[in-house]
């Protein structure tokens, strides 16, 4: 089974950029130790201030599901949930052959 790629786009409310960045940095660091996590990279958009992007690689859908239901995501929502501008957009990706 091929690895699964996920991209999440999370936008901070105006004035909440630093709070959300700190919480996302902690999430990214902790997630790298999750079962099945092959890569978990955090970026900030240069063209859209306050927009953070995670690019993730997982071994299985079960690993993604466990991550989403796990303590790191719960902590992010508790610490920074009020600082999100809307609901994060999470994209499970499927490669297109060229």
């Amino acid at each position: 089974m091929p690895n699964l790629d996920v991209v999440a786009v999370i936008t901070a409310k105006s004035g909440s950029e630093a709070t959300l960045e700190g919480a996302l940095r902690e999430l990214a660091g902790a997630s790298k130790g999750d079962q099945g996590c092959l890569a978990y990279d955090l970026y900030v958009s240069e063209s859209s201030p306050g927009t953070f992007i995670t690019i993730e690689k997982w071994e299985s859908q079960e690993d993604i599901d466990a991550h989403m239901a796990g303590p790191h995501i719960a902590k992010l929502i508790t610490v920074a949930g009020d600082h999100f501008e809307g609901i994060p957009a999470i994209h499970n990706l499927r490669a297109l052959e060229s």
Side-chain angles (χ1 to χ4, degrees), residues 12-13 15-26 52 76 78-84:
K13 289 181 181 176
S16 291
E17 296 86 355
T19 300
L20 188 53
E21 179 179 339
L24 288 170
R25 283 179 181 271
E26 186 173 333
F52 300 92
L76 173 69
T78 299
V79 170
D82 291 340
H83 299 276
F84 295 163

Side-chain angles (χ1 to χ4, degrees), residues 45-61:
S45 174
E46 291 284 322
S47 58
S48 182
T51 300
F52 300 92
I53 297 138
T54 65
I55 300 177
E56 311 164 31
K57 187 173 290 292
W58 296 89
E59 289 183 2
S60 72
Q61 185 61 52

Side-chain angles (χ1 to χ4, degrees), residues 83-95:
H83 299 276
F84 295 163
E85 183 65 53
I87 298 171
I90 299 172
H91 303 274
N92 292 346
L93 305 178
R94 176 178 47 87

